[in-house]
Coordinates of all heavy atoms in Angstrom, one line a residue:
T30 N 9.5 11.3 -12.0 CA 10.1 10.0 -11.5 C 11.0 9.3 -12.4 O 12.1 8.9 -12.0 CB 9.1 9.1 -10.9 OG1 8.2 9.9 -9.9 CG2 9.7 8.0 -10.2
D31 N 10.5 9.3 -13.6 CA 11.4 8.5 -14.6 C 12.7 9.1 -15.0 O 13.7 8.5 -15.3 CB 10.6 8.1 -15.9 CG 10.3 9.2 -16.8 OD1 10.3 10.4 -16.3 OD2 10.0 9.0 -18.0
D32 N 12.7 10.4 -14.8 CA 13.9 11.2 -14.9 C 15.0 10.8 -13.8 O 16.2 10.8 -14.0 CB 13.8 12.7 -15.0 CG 13.1 13.1 -16.2 OD1 13.2 12.5 -17.2 OD2 12.4 14.2 -16.1
V33 N 14.4 10.6 -12.6 CA 15.4 10.2 -11.6 C 16.0 9.0 -11.8 O 17.2 8.8 -11.7 CB 14.5 10.0 -10.3 CG1 15.3 9.3 -9.2 CG2 14.0 11.4 -9.7
Y34 N 15.3 7.9 -12.4 CA 15.9 6.6 -12.7 C 16.8 6.7 -13.9 O 17.7 6.0 -14.1 CB 14.8 5.6 -12.9 CG 14.2 5.2 -11.6 CD1 12.8 5.5 -11.2 CD2 14.9 4.4 -10.6 CE1 12.2 5.2 -10.1 CE2 14.2 4.1 -9.5 CZ 12.9 4.5 -9.1 OH 12.4 4.1 -7.9
R35 N 16.4 7.5 -14.8 CA 17.2 7.8 -16.1 C 18.6 8.4 -15.6 O 19.7 8.0 -16.2 CB 16.5 8.7 -17.1 CG 17.1 8.7 -18.4 CD 16.1 9.1 -19.6 NE 15.4 10.4 -19.2 CZ 15.8 11.6 -19.6 NH1 17.1 11.7 -20.2 NH2 15.2 12.6 -19.3
V36 N 18.6 9.4 -14.8 CA 19.8 10.0 -14.3 C 20.6 9.1 -13.7 O 21.9 9.0 -13.8 CB 19.6 11.3 -13.6 CG1 20.8 11.9 -12.9 CG2 18.8 12.4 -14.4
A37 N 20.0 8.3 -12.7 CA 20.7 7.2 -12.0 C 21.3 6.3 -12.8 O 22.6 5.9 -12.7 CB 19.7 6.6 -10.9
S38 N 20.7 5.8 -13.9 CA 21.2 4.8 -14.8 C 22.5 5.4 -15.6 O 23.5 4.8 -15.7 CB 20.2 4.3 -15.8 OG 20.7 3.4 -16.7
W39 N 22.3 6.6 -16.0 CA 23.3 7.4 -16.8 C 24.5 7.6 -15.8 O 25.8 7.3 -16.3 CB 22.8 8.8 -17.3 CG 23.8 9.5 -18.0 CD1 24.1 9.3 -19.4 CD2 24.7 10.5 -17.6 NE1 25.2 10.2 -19.8 CE2 25.5 11.0 -18.7 CE3 24.9 11.1 -16.3 CZ2 26.4 11.9 -18.6 CZ3 25.8 12.1 -16.3 CH2 26.7 12.5 -17.3
L40 N 24.2 8.1 -14.7 CA 25.5 8.2 -13.8 C 26.3 6.9 -13.5 O 27.5 6.9 -13.5 CB 25.1 8.7 -12.4 CG 24.9 10.3 -12.2 CD1 24.3 10.6 -10.8 CD2 26.2 10.9 -12.3
S41 N 25.5 5.8 -13.3 CA 26.2 4.5 -13.0 C 27.0 4.1 -14.2 O 27.9 3.3 -13.9 CB 25.0 3.4 -12.7 OG 24.2 3.8 -11.7
A42 N 26.8 4.6 -15.4 CA 27.5 4.1 -16.6 C 28.7 5.0 -16.9 O 29.5 4.6 -17.8 CB 26.5 4.2 -17.8
Q43 N 28.9 6.0 -16.1 CA 30.0 6.9 -16.4 C 31.3 6.4 -15.9 O 31.4 5.8 -14.9 CB 29.9 8.2 -15.7 CG 28.6 9.0 -16.2 CD 28.5 9.0 -17.7 OE1 29.4 9.7 -18.3 NE2 27.4 8.5 -18.2
P44 N 32.3 6.4 -16.7 CA 33.6 5.7 -16.6 C 34.4 6.3 -15.3 O 35.3 5.7 -14.7 CB 34.5 6.0 -17.8 CG 33.9 7.2 -18.5 CD 32.4 7.2 -18.1
E45 N 34.1 7.6 -15.0 CA 34.9 8.2 -13.9 C 34.4 8.0 -12.5 O 34.9 8.5 -11.5 CB 35.1 9.7 -14.1 CG 33.7 10.4 -14.0 CD 33.7 11.9 -14.8 OE1 33.7 11.8 -15.9 OE2 33.9 12.8 -14.0
I46 N 33.3 7.2 -12.4 CA 32.7 6.8 -11.1 C 32.5 5.4 -10.9 O 32.3 4.6 -11.9 CB 31.4 7.7 -10.8 CG1 30.3 7.3 -11.8 CG2 31.7 9.1 -10.7 CD1 29.0 7.9 -11.4
R47 N 32.4 4.8 -9.8 CA 32.1 3.5 -9.4 C 31.1 3.6 -8.3 O 31.1 4.2 -7.3 CB 33.3 2.7 -8.8 CG 33.0 1.3 -8.4 CD 34.3 0.6 -8.2 NE 35.3 1.3 -7.3 CZ 35.2 1.3 -6.0 NH1 34.4 0.5 -5.4 NH2 36.2 1.9 -5.3
K48 N 29.8 3.0 -8.6 CA 28.8 3.0 -7.7 C 29.0 1.9 -6.7 O 29.3 0.7 -7.1 CB 27.5 2.7 -8.5 CG 26.2 2.7 -7.6 CD 25.0 2.5 -8.5 CE 25.0 1.1 -9.2 NZ 23.8 1.0 -10.0
T49 N 28.9 2.2 -5.5 CA 29.1 1.2 -4.4 C 27.9 0.8 -3.5 O 27.8 -0.3 -3.0 CB 30.2 1.7 -3.4 OG1 29.7 2.8 -2.7 CG2 31.6 1.9 -4.1
A50 N 26.8 1.7 -3.6 CA 25.7 1.3 -2.9 C 24.5 2.1 -3.4 O 24.7 3.2 -3.9 CB 25.8 1.5 -1.4
V51 N 23.3 1.5 -3.3 CA 22.1 2.3 -3.7 C 20.9 2.1 -2.6 O 20.9 1.0 -2.1 CB 21.5 1.8 -5.1 CG1 20.1 2.2 -5.3 CG2 22.5 2.3 -6.2
K52 N 20.2 3.1 -2.3 CA 19.1 3.0 -1.5 C 17.9 3.6 -2.2 O 18.0 4.8 -2.4 CB 19.2 3.7 -0.1 CG 20.2 2.8 0.7 CD 20.3 3.5 2.1 CE 21.3 2.6 3.0 NZ 21.6 3.3 4.3
D53 N 16.9 2.8 -2.6 CA 15.8 3.5 -3.4 C 14.6 3.6 -2.5 O 13.8 2.7 -2.3 CB 15.4 2.4 -4.6 CG 14.4 3.0 -5.5 OD1 13.8 4.0 -5.2 OD2 14.3 2.4 -6.5
Y54 N 14.5 4.8 -2.0 CA 13.5 5.2 -1.1 C 12.3 5.7 -2.0 O 11.2 6.1 -1.3 CB 13.9 6.3 -0.1 CG 14.9 5.9 0.8 CD1 16.2 6.4 0.9 CD2 14.7 4.8 1.8 CE1 17.2 6.1 1.7 CE2 15.7 4.5 2.6 CZ 16.9 5.0 2.6 OH 17.9 4.6 3.4
I55 N 12.3 5.6 -3.2 CA 11.2 5.9 -4.0 C 10.4 4.6 -4.2 O 9.1 4.5 -3.9 CB 11.5 6.4 -5.4 CG1 12.3 7.8 -5.3 CG2 10.3 6.5 -6.3 CD1 12.8 8.3 -6.6
A56 N 11.1 3.5 -4.5 CA 10.4 2.2 -4.6 C 9.9 1.7 -3.2 O 8.9 1.1 -3.0 CB 11.3 1.2 -5.2
T57 N 10.8 2.0 -2.2 CA 10.5 1.6 -0.8 C 10.6 2.8 0.1 O 11.7 3.0 0.7 CB 11.3 0.4 -0.3 OG1 11.4 -0.6 -1.3 CG2 10.9 -0.2 1.0
P58 N 9.5 3.6 0.3 CA 9.8 4.8 1.1 C 10.0 4.5 2.5 O 9.6 3.5 3.0 CB 8.3 5.6 0.9 CG 7.6 4.8 -0.2 CD 8.2 3.6 -0.3
K59 N 10.6 5.5 3.1 CA 10.8 5.4 4.6 C 9.5 5.5 5.3 O 8.5 6.0 4.7 CB 11.8 6.6 5.1 CG 13.2 6.4 4.8 CD 14.1 7.4 5.3 CE 15.5 7.3 5.0 NZ 16.4 8.3 5.6
P60 N 9.4 5.0 6.6 CA 8.0 5.1 7.3 C 7.4 6.4 7.3 O 6.2 6.6 7.3 CB 8.4 4.5 8.6 CG 9.5 3.6 8.4 CD 10.3 4.3 7.3
N61 N 8.2 7.5 7.4 CA 7.7 8.9 7.5 C 7.2 9.3 6.1 O 6.7 10.5 6.0 CB 8.7 9.9 8.1 CG 9.9 10.0 7.2 OD1 10.2 9.4 6.2 ND2 10.8 10.9 7.6
G62 N 7.4 8.7 5.0 CA 6.9 9.1 3.7 C 8.1 9.5 2.8 O 7.9 9.9 1.6
Y63 N 9.3 9.7 3.4 CA 10.4 10.2 2.6 C 10.7 9.3 1.4 O 10.8 8.0 1.4 CB 11.7 10.1 3.6 CG 13.0 10.6 2.7 CD1 13.4 12.0 2.7 CD2 13.9 9.6 2.3 CE1 14.5 12.3 2.0 CE2 15.1 10.0 1.6 CZ 15.4 11.4 1.6 OH 16.6 11.8 0.9
R64 N 10.8 10.1 0.1 CA 11.1 9.4 -1.1 C 12.3 10.0 -1.8 O 12.2 11.3 -2.2 CB 9.8 9.4 -1.9 CG 8.7 8.5 -1.4 CD 7.4 8.7 -2.2 NE 6.4 7.7 -2.0 CZ 5.5 7.8 -1.0 NH1 5.7 8.7 0.0 NH2 4.6 6.8 -0.9
S65 N 13.2 9.3 -2.1 CA 14.5 9.7 -2.8 C 15.3 8.6 -3.2 O 15.2 7.5 -2.6 CB 15.2 10.7 -1.8 OG 16.3 11.4 -2.6
Y66 N 16.1 8.8 -4.1 CA 17.0 7.7 -4.7 C 18.4 8.1 -4.3 O 18.9 9.2 -4.7 CB 16.8 7.6 -6.1 CG 17.5 6.4 -6.8 CD1 16.9 5.1 -7.0 CD2 18.9 6.4 -7.1 CE1 17.4 4.0 -7.5 CE2 19.5 5.4 -7.7 CZ 18.7 4.1 -7.9 OH 19.4 3.0 -8.4
H67 N 19.0 7.2 -3.4 CA 20.4 7.6 -3.0 C 21.4 6.6 -3.5 O 21.3 5.5 -3.6 CB 20.5 7.4 -1.5 CG 19.8 8.5 -0.7 ND1 19.9 8.7 0.7 CD2 18.6 9.2 -1.0 CE1 19.0 9.6 1.1 NE2 18.2 9.9 0.1
M68 N 22.5 7.3 -4.1 CA 23.7 6.5 -4.6 C 25.0 6.9 -3.8 O 25.2 8.0 -3.7 CB 23.8 6.8 -6.1 CG 22.6 6.6 -6.8 SD 22.9 7.2 -8.6 CE 24.0 6.0 -9.3
I69 N 25.7 5.9 -3.4 CA 27.1 6.1 -2.9 C 28.0 5.9 -4.1 O 28.0 4.8 -4.6 CB 27.5 5.3 -1.7 CG1 26.4 5.5 -0.5 CG2 28.8 5.5 -1.3 CD1 26.4 6.8 0.0
L70 N 28.8 6.9 -4.3 CA 29.8 6.8 -5.6 C 31.2 7.1 -5.2 O 31.4 7.9 -4.2 CB 29.4 7.9 -6.6 CG 27.9 7.9 -7.1 CD1 27.7 9.1 -7.9 CD2 27.5 6.5 -7.8
V71 N 32.1 6.4 -5.7 CA 33.5 6.7 -5.6 C 34.1 7.3 -6.9 O 33.9 6.7 -7.9 CB 34.4 5.4 -5.2 CG1 35.8 5.7 -5.1 CG2 33.9 4.8 -3.9
L72 N 34.7 8.4 -6.8 CA 35.3 8.9 -8.1 C 36.6 8.3 -8.3 O 37.4 8.2 -7.5 CB 35.5 10.4 -7.8 CG 34.3 11.3 -7.9 CD1 34.4 12.6 -7.2 CD2 33.7 11.5 -9.3
T73 N 36.7 7.7 -9.5 CA 37.9 6.9 -9.8 C 38.9 7.6 -10.7 O 39.9 7.2 -11.0 CB 37.5 5.6 -10.5 OG1 36.6 5.9 -11.7 CG2 36.5 4.7 -9.6

């Protein structure tokens, strides 16, 4: 799990992308139990 957040942090810092939205279903799972970290990115 900590790798998930480390990769998310690293991606957010890359100059060729801009993060526009995040949904953290690990911290707040969906009612069915789904756990994942979603990022919407724009390639700049």
